[in-house]
Amino acid sequence: MASFEYDVPDELMDELKKLGDAADEIAIKMLNESAPILMDRVTAELSNHKVSGDLVKSIKIIKAKKAKGGGYAASVEPSGTDKKGVRNVEKMIYLEYGTSRQPARPTLTKAINDSEQGVLAKMQEVFDREVGGK
């Protein structure tokens, strides 16, 4: 699926780094609790383009985990196939980037851009809750 990232404020990243070993657990909570915000935007954007609804129904949150490069990753992505056997991830790519027969309709890009402030606010809220409680 497509790759994306939000520009997490430097201050938040600096504070997270100061937590040492506890940073792993808090970063994962931050991602897991903010992922539904992105999922809501993705499904809302896809709903504007649905034909059968199979793609919208296939969107799932993949829980956060530590990536090989040392960062953290969570995702919102389609899974499975539709009734005709077409992979939902393919349909998402065709919608986002277009094909020789259809223009690009960047719904994923719009969802990511529209959810950025909400996702970052939720991440800050989780951080404050977790650090304030210690």
Side-chain angles (χ1 to χ4, degrees):
M1 197 64 250
S3 175
F4 68 92
E5 62 186 57
Y6 293 117
D7 291 325
V8 177
D10 291 338
E11 301 83 34
L12 178 56
M13 289 303 297
D14 291 343
E15 289 299 314
L16 192 58
K17 289 175 186 174
K18 289 179 188 176
L19 297 175
D21 293 338
D24 287 350
E25 182 181 329
I26 293 171
I28 288 172
K29 285 182 182 181
M30 290 166 61
L31 288 169
N32 285 337
E33 290 188 37
S34 62
I37 296 167
L38 176 58
M39 182 173 172
D40 289 347
R41 288 303 320 142
V42 169
T43 56
E45 287 301 321
L46 289 174
S47 292
N48 294 329
H49 301 282
K50 75 178 189 176
V51 175
S52 69
D54 291 327
L55 178 57
V56 174
K57 291 179 213 168
S58 79
I59 302 298
K60 306 285 185 244
I61 295 172
I62 307 302
K63 295 283 186 184
K65 59 185 173 185
K66 194 165 186 174
K68 290 180 182 177
Y72 303 89
S75 64
V76 172
E77 57 189 57
S79 62
T81 59
D82 68 11
K83 296 167 191 151
K84 296 178 183 176
V86 178
R87 294 184 321 154
N88 287 308
V89 70
E90 287 180 63
K91 292 192 291 188
M92 175 75 92
I93 292 168
Y94 299 152
L95 187 62
E96 186 73 14
Y97 299 106
T99 67
S100 61
R101 294 182 176 166
Q102 75 179 31
R105 292 173 281 174
T107 53
L108 187 57
T109 300
K110 184 172 180 354
I112 291 166
N113 291 338
D114 290 352
S115 66
E116 182 172 15
Q117 291 306 312
V119 167
L120 293 176
K122 185 64 169 182
M123 290 174 78
Q124 184 69 58
E125 175 189 315
V126 172
F127 177 85
D128 292 345
R129 181 189 72 220
E130 292 297 318
V131 173
K134 293 192 175 193

